[in-house]
């Protein structure tokens, strides 16, 4: 089964953050769109992609969009990953025995990133690193915050168009 695609209804997620706070997708959607970034700490493409998502998080903090990671690892390994790669956005912990959130979203590869509109519809479903999808998420975050899109790629930086997950 492939990851849920564009147009699908986003399944409810009820998980806890690495610091123990509850997260319920429907509650976050009541405030605005949500970006869900599923990852595994050992995944090289996740290690590549999540620092770019951190830049989006910093650029649009408090601008009407929730961005969260969904880790397929335990709290200890996830915390070490966040420290190593400078991730400060909230990270949810998917149960490492049953993976209820990952399975509900049909994950077969990570990273997989979803833009979930406020009405609960998945409007972007991106598997691996797809620069065009990242740029679309950047634009949508800017639109939601009613500001100009952030420049998240640095001059001279090697940013690939695609990297398989």
């Amino acid at each position: 089964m492939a990851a849920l695609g564009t147009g699908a209804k986003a399944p409810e997620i009820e998980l806890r953050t690495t610091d123990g706070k509850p997260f319920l997708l429907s509650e976050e959607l009541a405030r605005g769109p949500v970006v869900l970034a599923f990852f595994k700490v050992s995944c090289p493409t996740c290690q590549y992609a999540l620092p770019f998502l951190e830049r989006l998080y910093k650029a649009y903090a408090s601008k009407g969009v929730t961005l969260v990671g969904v880790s397929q690892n335990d709290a200890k390994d996830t915390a070490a990953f966040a420290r190593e790669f400078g991730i400060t956005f909230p990270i949810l912990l998917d149960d490492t025995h049953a993976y209820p959130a990952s399975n509900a979203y049909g994950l077969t590869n990570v990273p997989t990133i979803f833009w979930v509109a406020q009405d609960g519809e998945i409007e972007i479903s991106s598997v691996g690193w797809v620069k065009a999808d990242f740029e679309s998420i950047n634009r949508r975050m800017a639109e939601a915050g009613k500001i100009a899109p952030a420049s998240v790629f640095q001059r001279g930086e090697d940013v690939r168009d695609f990297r398989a997950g």
Side-chain angles (χ1 to χ4, degrees):
M1 176 164 91
L4 292 178
T6 301
K9 181 77 171 161
E12 181 65 271
I13 291 180
E14 186 173 358
L15 297 173
R16 294 209 171 266
T17 63
T18 53
D19 57 1
K21 293 179 184 166
F23 176 95
L24 190 62
L25 180 62
S26 56
E27 288 179 3
E28 293 302 319
L29 288 172
R31 295 187 254 290
V34 174
V35 176
L36 299 171
F38 289 81
F39 72 97
K40 194 158 188 69
V41 301
S42 60
C43 161
T45 304
C46 300
Q47 295 165 6
Y48 179 83
L50 265 64
F52 289 117
L53 288 168
E54 175 67 18
R55 291 179 190 176
L56 288 181
Y57 176 72
K58 287 182 177 175
Y60 301 108
S62 307
K63 299 292 186 208
V65 178
T66 300
L67 188 154
V68 293
V70 183
S71 176
Q72 295 179 335
N73 294 90
D74 65 25
K76 180 182 173 193
D77 290 343
T78 300
F81 176 90
R83 277 191 306 278
E84 181 177 352
F85 292 95
I87 306 303
T88 63
F89 54 78
I91 299 176
L92 310 175
L93 298 170
D94 205 1
D95 177 68
T96 58
H97 298 289
Y99 299 101
S102 297
N103 287 330
Y105 281 76
L107 265 62
T108 56
N109 297 74
V110 287
T112 298
I113 304 166
F114 298 96
W115 172 276
V116 183
Q118 196 165 5
D119 66 2
E121 182 179 320
I122 295 172
E123 292 184 350
I124 297 174
S125 175
S126 182
V127 179
W129 168 260
V130 182
K131 185 179 178 184
D133 292 344
F134 180 86
E135 290 169 331
S136 291
I137 291 169
N138 184 18
R139 283 190 300 278
R140 287 176 187 237
M141 290 181 87
E143 289 168 7
K146 297 177 175 57
I147 59 175
S151 296
V152 292
F153 300 128
Q154 299 170 2
R155 186 180 172 112
E157 191 170 43
D158 177 26
V159 181
R160 299 175 186 185
D161 289 334
F162 174 77
R163 198 169 169 181

